[in-house]
Each structure stands twice: as C-alpha cells, then as structure tokens.
Amino acid sequence: MTLVAGVDSSTQSCKVVVVDADTGVVAREGRAPHPEGTEAPPEAWWTAFEAASAAAGGLEDVAGVSVGGQQHGMVCLDESGSVVRDALLWNDTRSAHAAEELIADLGGASAWADAVGSVPVASFTVTKLRWLAHHEPEAARRTHAVCLPHDWLTWRLRGSGDLADLVTDRGDASGTCYWSPATGDYRRDLLELALGHDAVLPRVLGPSDRAGYATGGQVLGPGTGDNAASALGLDARPGDVVVSIGTSGVACAVSEVAAADPSGIVAGFADATGRYLPLVCTLNAARVLDSTAQLLGVDHAGLSDLALAAPPGAGGAVLVPYFEGERTPDRPHATASLHGLTLDTWTPATVARAAVEGLLCGLADAIDALEEHGAVASRVLLVGGGAASRAVREIAPAVLGRPVHVPPPGEYVARGAARQAAWVLAGADEPPMWEIASTTVHEAEPTPAVRERYAEARDRVLDRTT
C-alpha cells in the first residue's frame, strides 16, 4: 500500500492525515495546536507540523506530501530566507484602511476586479503589505521575498533554504490580490504599489506539478489554500457549491469561468484543479446557532427540535443575524435585528426557526452572487460545524432551493492536500477517485417566501447602516 500525507496548517492548528494513495482511506492522523492571535511566528507552524506528524505515527513510510494552508497570510523573508517579522494572518484586520487606500490608488474597485478578479479587503496579502510599508518601513525595506503560510511550510519541507525554491499554486496565489486567475500572471505593479518595491514571489505550479522533494525523500505537491484544498477533498466539480458553516460562512463554487466582481462580494479565486473557485464569505454563521441556543437555554439538539417544530417562515418572524456586523454585505457596524414579532411569533420555536432561516438566507444570497458571476449551482455540499445541526440540514434545501449533500465529518482540507499528493505521485491527468462514504442527501420543496421576507428585512437593515 502506497501512503501519502495531507497537511492542514490552519489558523488554530495543524492536522496531518496519512492515507492510502489509491483509496483515500485514512490510515492514521495527528494534530497539534497553533498559537492564538492574528499574527504568528512561522516557526510555530513548523513546530506544530512536526508534532502533528509525530502524533500521526511519523512520515517515514509516506511517499508524497502536500500542504493545505490558511489563505492570505503575509510571510516576509529577508535575503537570507530569515523571517522579517511575525506573519500577519488572514483574520488580522489592522490593514482595513490600507485596503481602502489601495482601491483608491488604482482608481476604484472595478480596476482591481479587472486586474485580479478580487477587490482588496483586510484579509488579503496585498493590504497587509501596504500596512507594513506604512507602519514598519524598516521591515518592509528588509523584505526580499513574500510568500503565504502554505508556501513557507512547503519550502521548509524541501529544506534547501534557497528562495528560488519557493513555490505556490493557483489556488493560494489567487488570494494575494496581486496574481490574476484569468491571466495566470503576477501583477508585480500591484505588489510594488503595496510594498513599495518588487520582491521574490513563489513560482506558481500547475495542479499536479512536483514541488521537489522533502528532506525525508517524499515527493512534494504544490499544496494550495484551505478552501481549494477542501473543495478537492470533497471532490467538488463544476455545478457544485461548497457551503461551510463555521465561525464564518463560506460559499464557493467550482467554476469553468473566472469571476471578477467590482462590488467585492465575490472573490475571484482559482481552485486546485486548473479551474476557478469564486467565493463569498459571511461573518455570521455557526455563532448564530450558538448564541440562539444560549438565549433559549437549550443545547444544539434542543435548538433543532424547537426550530423544526415551527412552520417554514417562522410565522412571519425574520432574523437578520448581523451580530458581529457583516462582511457580505459589507456592513461592519450593523447589528442583528428580529422582525415580524407578534404575540403568536414570540415563542422559543419561532425564534429558533428564524435564527436557522436567517443564517441560511445569508448563504443563499451568497450562492445567488456566485451564479451572477458565472458559477453553476446545481447541488450544495454542506460542511463545517454548523452542518451537525439537524435543523440546518433539513431546512437548508428549502431555503437554498437545491439538494443538499452532507458528507460525514472529516478533515477535508487535509484530505484534499493528500489527494493532491497522490495525484502528483501518480503523474496522472486527473486526481485519483476517492469515494466519500455515508454522504446523506436532503431535499425539500423550496420556500421562496422565506427568502422574500428575509430580503425585505435585510434591506431595511442595510438602508439604516453604512
């Protein structure tokens, strides 16, 4: 049996799965934590990788390795390859003003969408480089190379220390906002606009290109960003939308068409197969369920029981769940609001139903935006912690208007990275076919009236906030 390893170097932890290269069956796995916060020393990722690998039984018998990593993070290296400063992670928002500056400098959001398919926001690498240039100019001056978390970890696995060996893939490069998925080229003018000078950037490999060999002799895959790795791990194809309900809500679609949305709602990313992965991210997701359950004094199973006891539409009650502001639509200072309350609808069951429907309506809006920019959304693959909710699973097809496929819980980012490693190792035209057992399918009659009432309430919220 040939074994390959997939690595998920996420914000919170490192997961390593060792799987059969032919079937995708997990042989063993391990994990280790990352430090908390919105910036981190990259060496901590290496320490966590070594600990997770050891917990997974070591990689000595593994033939190939690929890394899936948190997108967007800024890793700056000097001429010798040493880290200039702690990496700023995707969830570090200090560069929000830098994003506004960069949009203005290029002549507006449309210019950015035309250039790289996305409009800068604080999570993207380009905005962090502008922040660095303005607030830590000496660190910016010392920066000789810029890479992303997965790029750096792949480079460390190779062990050469040569900056010329830095590599990345289309999926992660598309999250920098200075690489164009449509043309396949870096926009070095945008890099210089942010950092103030040019820098060494990782070579962008094809989906199944070898990135060299690890010091242990394993073949290295190019790796990719976490969303692209998850889509690969789920075997998402054109026509599929992956909806992930975690701390944030994500809807992304494998598409044959590169997206370019000047509104900034859709980020025009690439995927890990040579296609595209337009993506929409909402700020309020699983915590809507957590907070509603806490309010009602029930656990998540109890919340589902309550929500499913109420009729579709919650009797007219509508929750716009902007508890933490919102990213899509861009209303950072918005607050949540509950509409349509009467003595009949002021009940635990209708509030629970409104919470689930409000969460799902925001994701349905995201799917609409993906379709407006060329994606086809025939079925939904539902993952993340929120997918464990019975109410979410059963209500989702009615609100989203499509069959909802729920795979079993798993480390799909790491699985996708492992699948890429097997693909690279085989030298095949397509990734290996790995079955996902026990996927359940949920179907229901669409409830367009639920979305119509939600849209009315949402628009009232948007009209009064900026």
Side-chain angles (χ1 to χ4, degrees), residues 243-261:
V243 172
S244 176
I245 303 177
T247 303
S248 60
V250 173
C252 59
V254 177
S255 178
E256 304 284 4
V257 181
D261 180 8

mmCIF file with all atom_site columns, all heavy atoms in Angstrom, residues 243-261:
data_model
loop_
_atom_site.group_PDB
_atom_site.id
_atom_site.type_symbol
_atom_site.label_atom_id
_atom_site.label_alt_id
_atom_site.label_comp_id
_atom_site.label_asym_id
_atom_site.label_entity_id
_atom_site.label_seq_id
_atom_site.pdbx_PDB_ins_code
_atom_site.Cartn_x
_atom_site.Cartn_y
_atom_site.Cartn_z
_atom_site.occupancy
_atom_site.B_iso_or_equiv
_atom_site.pdbx_formal_charge
_atom_site.auth_seq_id
_atom_site.auth_comp_id
_atom_site.auth_asym_id
_atom_site.auth_atom_id
_atom_site.pdbx_PDB_model_num
ATOM 1   N N   . VAL A 1 243 ? -20.709 24.807 0.775   1.00 0.00 ? 243 VAL A N   1
ATOM 2   C CA  . VAL A 1 243 ? -21.155 25.743 1.810   1.00 0.00 ? 243 VAL A CA  1
ATOM 3   C C   . VAL A 1 243 ? -20.599 25.252 3.139   1.00 0.00 ? 243 VAL A C   1
ATOM 4   O O   . VAL A 1 243 ? -20.916 24.140 3.582   1.00 0.00 ? 243 VAL A O   1
ATOM 5   C CB  . VAL A 1 243 ? -22.687 25.843 1.864   1.00 0.00 ? 243 VAL A CB  1
ATOM 6   C CG1 . VAL A 1 243 ? -23.126 26.670 3.073   1.00 0.00 ? 243 VAL A CG1 1
ATOM 7   C CG2 . VAL A 1 243 ? -23.229 26.474 0.583   1.00 0.00 ? 243 VAL A CG2 1
ATOM 8   N N   . SER A 1 244 ? -19.758 26.065 3.749   1.00 0.00 ? 244 SER A N   1
ATOM 9   C CA  . SER A 1 244 ? -19.150 25.721 5.025   1.00 0.00 ? 244 SER A CA  1
ATOM 10  C C   . SER A 1 244 ? -19.678 26.650 6.101   1.00 0.00 ? 244 SER A C   1
ATOM 11  O O   . SER A 1 244 ? -19.580 27.878 5.972   1.00 0.00 ? 244 SER A O   1
ATOM 12  C CB  . SER A 1 244 ? -17.623 25.842 4.928   1.00 0.00 ? 244 SER A CB  1
ATOM 13  O OG  . SER A 1 244 ? -17.025 25.598 6.185   1.00 0.00 ? 244 SER A OG  1
ATOM 14  N N   . ILE A 1 245 ? -20.247 26.064 7.138   1.00 0.00 ? 245 ILE A N   1
ATOM 15  C CA  . ILE A 1 245 ? -20.788 26.851 8.249   1.00 0.00 ? 245 ILE A CA  1
ATOM 16  C C   . ILE A 1 245 ? -19.889 26.636 9.449   1.00 0.00 ? 245 ILE A C   1
ATOM 17  O O   . ILE A 1 245 ? -19.985 25.647 10.178  1.00 0.00 ? 245 ILE A O   1
ATOM 18  C CB  . ILE A 1 245 ? -22.240 26.452 8.578   1.00 0.00 ? 245 ILE A CB  1
ATOM 19  C CG1 . ILE A 1 245 ? -23.130 26.606 7.337   1.00 0.00 ? 245 ILE A CG1 1
ATOM 20  C CG2 . ILE A 1 245 ? -22.782 27.303 9.720   1.00 0.00 ? 245 ILE A CG2 1
ATOM 21  C CD1 . ILE A 1 245 ? -24.560 26.167 7.552   1.00 0.00 ? 245 ILE A CD1 1
ATOM 22  N N   . GLY A 1 246 ? -18.959 27.559 9.629   1.00 0.00 ? 246 GLY A N   1
ATOM 23  C CA  . GLY A 1 246 ? -18.079 27.551 10.775  1.00 0.00 ? 246 GLY A CA  1
ATOM 24  C C   . GLY A 1 246 ? -18.188 28.890 11.473  1.00 0.00 ? 246 GLY A C   1
ATOM 25  O O   . GLY A 1 246 ? -19.265 29.494 11.508  1.00 0.00 ? 246 GLY A O   1
ATOM 26  N N   . THR A 1 247 ? -17.073 29.381 12.025  1.00 0.00 ? 247 THR A N   1
ATOM 27  C CA  . THR A 1 247 ? -17.086 30.714 12.619  1.00 0.00 ? 247 THR A CA  1
ATOM 28  C C   . THR A 1 247 ? -17.570 31.732 11.604  1.00 0.00 ? 247 THR A C   1
ATOM 29  O O   . THR A 1 247 ? -18.361 32.625 11.896  1.00 0.00 ? 247 THR A O   1
ATOM 30  C CB  . THR A 1 247 ? -15.683 31.091 13.112  1.00 0.00 ? 247 THR A CB  1
ATOM 31  O OG1 . THR A 1 247 ? -15.245 30.102 14.044  1.00 0.00 ? 247 THR A OG1 1
ATOM 32  C CG2 . THR A 1 247 ? -15.694 32.449 13.782  1.00 0.00 ? 247 THR A CG2 1
ATOM 33  N N   . SER A 1 248 ? -17.089 31.593 10.363  1.00 0.00 ? 248 SER A N   1
ATOM 34  C CA  . SER A 1 248 ? -17.633 32.363 9.250   1.00 0.00 ? 248 SER A CA  1
ATOM 35  C C   . SER A 1 248 ? -18.396 31.421 8.338   1.00 0.00 ? 248 SER A C   1
ATOM 36  O O   . SER A 1 248 ? -18.269 30.198 8.436   1.00 0.00 ? 248 SER A O   1
ATOM 37  C CB  . SER A 1 248 ? -16.510 33.067 8.476   1.00 0.00 ? 248 SER A CB  1
ATOM 38  O OG  . SER A 1 248 ? -15.592 32.111 7.967   1.00 0.00 ? 248 SER A OG  1
ATOM 39  N N   . GLY A 1 249 ? -19.199 31.982 7.471   1.00 0.00 ? 249 GLY A N   1
ATOM 40  C CA  . GLY A 1 249 ? -19.906 31.183 6.481   1.00 0.00 ? 249 GLY A CA  1
ATOM 41  C C   . GLY A 1 249 ? -19.248 31.377 5.131   1.00 0.00 ? 249 GLY A C   1
ATOM 42  O O   . GLY A 1 249 ? -18.966 32.512 4.734   1.00 0.00 ? 249 GLY A O   1
ATOM 43  N N   . VAL A 1 250 ? -18.975 30.293 4.430   1.00 0.00 ? 250 VAL A N   1
ATOM 44  C CA  . VAL A 1 250 ? -18.316 30.367 3.139   1.00 0.00 ? 250 VAL A CA  1
ATOM 45  C C   . VAL A 1 250 ? -19.146 29.618 2.108   1.00 0.00 ? 250 VAL A C   1
ATOM 46  O O   . VAL A 1 250 ? -19.597 28.492 2.372   1.00 0.00 ? 250 VAL A O   1
ATOM 47  C CB  . VAL A 1 250 ? -16.891 29.772 3.189   1.00 0.00 ? 250 VAL A CB  1
ATOM 48  C CG1 . VAL A 1 250 ? -16.290 29.693 1.788   1.00 0.00 ? 250 VAL A CG1 1
ATOM 49  C CG2 . VAL A 1 250 ? -15.998 30.608 4.096   1.00 0.00 ? 250 VAL A CG2 1
ATOM 50  N N   . ALA A 1 251 ? -19.337 30.233 0.968   1.00 0.00 ? 251 ALA A N   1
ATOM 51  C CA  . ALA A 1 251 ? -19.921 29.550 -0.181  1.00 0.00 ? 251 ALA A CA  1
ATOM 52  C C   . ALA A 1 251 ? -18.961 29.737 -1.348  1.00 0.00 ? 251 ALA A C   1
ATOM 53  O O   . ALA A 1 251 ? -18.616 30.871 -1.696  1.00 0.00 ? 251 ALA A O   1
ATOM 54  C CB  . ALA A 1 251 ? -21.291 30.128 -0.523  1.00 0.00 ? 251 ALA A CB  1
ATOM 55  N N   . CYS A 1 252 ? -18.485 28.632 -1.899  1.00 0.00 ? 252 CYS A N   1
ATOM 56  C CA  . CYS A 1 252 ? -17.586 28.699 -3.043  1.00 0.00 ? 252 CYS A CA  1
ATOM 57  C C   . CYS A 1 252 ? -18.012 27.663 -4.068  1.00 0.00 ? 252 CYS A C   1
ATOM 58  O O   . CYS A 1 252 ? -18.533 26.603 -3.704  1.00 0.00 ? 252 CYS A O   1
ATOM 59  C CB  . CYS A 1 252 ? -16.128 28.542 -2.638  1.00 0.00 ? 252 CYS A CB  1
ATOM 60  S SG  . CYS A 1 252 ? -15.734 26.997 -1.781  1.00 0.00 ? 252 CYS A SG  1
ATOM 61  N N   . ALA A 1 253 ? -17.777 27.955 -5.329  1.00 0.00 ? 253 ALA A N   1
ATOM 62  C CA  . ALA A 1 253 ? -18.236 27.088 -6.407  1.00 0.00 ? 253 ALA A CA  1
ATOM 63  C C   . ALA A 1 253 ? -17.092 26.759 -7.339  1.00 0.00 ? 253 ALA A C   1
ATOM 64  O O   . ALA A 1 253 ? -16.326 27.650 -7.729  1.00 0.00 ? 253 ALA A O   1
ATOM 65  C CB  . ALA A 1 253 ? -19.353 27.784 -7.186  1.00 0.00 ? 253 ALA A CB  1
ATOM 66  N N   . VAL A 1 254 ? -16.952 25.494 -7.684  1.00 0.00 ? 254 VAL A N   1
ATOM 67  C CA  . VAL A 1 254 ? -16.013 25.112 -8.733  1.00 0.00 ? 254 VAL A CA  1
ATOM 68  C C   . VAL A 1 254 ? -16.621 25.553 -10.058 1.00 0.00 ? 254 VAL A C   1
ATOM 69  O O   . VAL A 1 254 ? -17.742 25.190 -10.397 1.00 0.00 ? 254 VAL A O   1
ATOM 70  C CB  . VAL A 1 254 ? -15.754 23.600 -8.721  1.00 0.00 ? 254 VAL A CB  1
ATOM 71  C CG1 . VAL A 1 254 ? -14.821 23.214 -9.864  1.00 0.00 ? 254 VAL A CG1 1
ATOM 72  C CG2 . VAL A 1 254 ? -15.163 23.173 -7.391  1.00 0.00 ? 254 VAL A CG2 1
ATOM 73  N N   . SER A 1 255 ? -15.876 26.366 -10.779 1.00 0.00 ? 255 SER A N   1
ATOM 74  C CA  . SER A 1 255 ? -16.427 27.011 -11.972 1.00 0.00 ? 255 SER A CA  1
ATOM 75  C C   . SER A 1 255 ? -15.443 26.935 -13.123 1.00 0.00 ? 255 SER A C   1
ATOM 76  O O   . SER A 1 255 ? -14.222 26.887 -12.918 1.00 0.00 ? 255 SER A O   1
ATOM 77  C CB  . SER A 1 255 ? -16.759 28.479 -11.663 1.00 0.00 ? 255 SER A CB  1
ATOM 78  O OG  . SER A 1 255 ? -17.251 29.148 -12.806 1.00 0.00 ? 255 SER A OG  1
ATOM 79  N N   . GLU A 1 256 ? -15.978 26.913 -14.330 1.00 0.00 ? 256 GLU A N   1
ATOM 80  C CA  . GLU A 1 256 ? -15.143 26.978 -15.530 1.00 0.00 ? 256 GLU A CA  1
ATOM 81  C C   . GLU A 1 256 ? -14.827 28.419 -15.916 1.00 0.00 ? 256 GLU A C   1
ATOM 82  O O   . GLU A 1 256 ? -14.061 28.668 -16.843 1.00 0.00 ? 256 GLU A O   1
ATOM 83  C CB  . GLU A 1 256 ? -15.853 26.291 -16.705 1.00 0.00 ? 256 GLU A CB  1
ATOM 84  C CG  . GLU A 1 256 ? -16.260 24.856 -16.443 1.00 0.00 ? 256 GLU A CG  1
ATOM 85  C CD  . GLU A 1 256 ? -15.103 23.879 -16.492 1.00 0.00 ? 256 GLU A CD  1
ATOM 86  O OE1 . GLU A 1 256 ? -13.952 24.330 -16.665 1.00 0.00 ? 256 GLU A OE1 1
ATOM 87  O OE2 . GLU A 1 256 ? -15.348 22.668 -16.362 1.00 0.00 ? 256 GLU A OE2 1
ATOM 88  N N   . VAL A 1 257 ? -15.421 29.373 -15.189 1.00 0.00 ? 257 VAL A N   1
ATOM 89  C CA  . VAL A 1 257 ? -15.337 30.785 -15.567 1.00 0.00 ? 257 VAL A CA  1
ATOM 90  C C   . VAL A 1 257 ? -14.668 31.579 -14.452 1.00 0.00 ? 257 VAL A C   1
ATOM 91  O O   . VAL A 1 257 ? -15.036 31.460 -13.275 1.00 0.00 ? 257 VAL A O   1
ATOM 92  C CB  . VAL A 1 257 ? -16.742 31.361 -15.827 1.00 0.00 ? 257 VAL A CB  1
ATOM 93  C CG1 . VAL A 1 257 ? -16.656 32.825 -16.236 1.00 0.00 ? 257 VAL A CG1 1
ATOM 94  C CG2 . VAL A 1 257 ? -17.461 30.556 -16.906 1.00 0.00 ? 257 VAL A CG2 1
ATOM 95  N N   . ALA A 1 258 ? -13.692 32.395 -14.802 1.00 0.00 ? 258 ALA A N   1
ATOM 96  C CA  . ALA A 1 258 ? -13.062 33.288 -13.827 1.00 0.00 ? 258 ALA A CA  1
ATOM 97  C C   . ALA A 1 258 ? -14.016 34.421 -13.472 1.00 0.00 ? 258 ALA A C   1
ATOM 98  O O   . ALA A 1 258 ? -14.622 35.028 -14.355 1.00 0.00 ? 258 ALA A O   1
ATOM 99  C CB  . ALA A 1 258 ? -11.763 33.857 -14.398 1.00 0.00 ? 258 ALA A CB  1
ATOM 100 N N   . ALA A 1 259 ? -14.171 34.691 -12.190 1.00 0.00 ? 259 ALA A N   1
ATOM 101 C CA  . ALA A 1 259 ? -15.075 35.748 -11.729 1.00 0.00 ? 259 ALA A CA  1
ATOM 102 C C   . ALA A 1 259 ? -14.321 37.049 -11.535 1.00 0.00 ? 259 ALA A C   1
ATOM 103 O O   . ALA A 1 259 ? -13.139 37.055 -11.192 1.00 0.00 ? 259 ALA A O   1
ATOM 104 C CB  . ALA A 1 259 ? -15.751 35.335 -10.426 1.00 0.00 ? 259 ALA A CB  1
ATOM 105 N N   . ALA A 1 260 ? -15.029 38.157 -11.752 1.00 0.00 ? 260 ALA A N   1
ATOM 106 C CA  . ALA A 1 260 ? -14.468 39.488 -11.493 1.00 0.00 ? 260 ALA A CA  1
ATOM 107 C C   . ALA A 1 260 ? -15.621 40.384 -11.060 1.00 0.00 ? 260 ALA A C   1
ATOM 108 O O   . ALA A 1 260 ? -16.356 40.911 -11.892 1.00 0.00 ? 260 ALA A O   1
ATOM 109 C CB  . ALA A 1 260 ? -13.785 40.046 -12.738 1.00 0.00 ? 260 ALA A CB  1
ATOM 110 N N   . ASP A 1 261 ? -15.797 40.532 -9.758  1.00 0.00 ? 261 ASP A N   1
ATOM 111 C CA  . ASP A 1 261 ? -16.941 41.247 -9.195  1.00 0.00 ? 261 ASP A CA  1
ATOM 112 C C   . ASP A 1 261 ? -16.501 42.583 -8.612  1.00 0.00 ? 261 ASP A C   1
ATOM 113 O O   . ASP A 1 261 ? -15.878 42.626 -7.546  1.00 0.00 ? 261 ASP A O   1
ATOM 114 C CB  . ASP A 1 261 ? -17.579 40.384 -8.103  1.00 0.00 ? 261 ASP A CB  1
ATOM 115 C CG  . ASP A 1 261 ? -18.774 41.049 -7.451  1.00 0.00 ? 261 ASP A CG  1
ATOM 116 O OD1 . ASP A 1 261 ? -19.215 42.109 -7.936  1.00 0.00 ? 261 ASP A OD1 1
ATOM 117 O OD2 . ASP A 1 261 ? -19.275 40.502 -6.449  1.00 0.00 ? 261 ASP A OD2 1
#
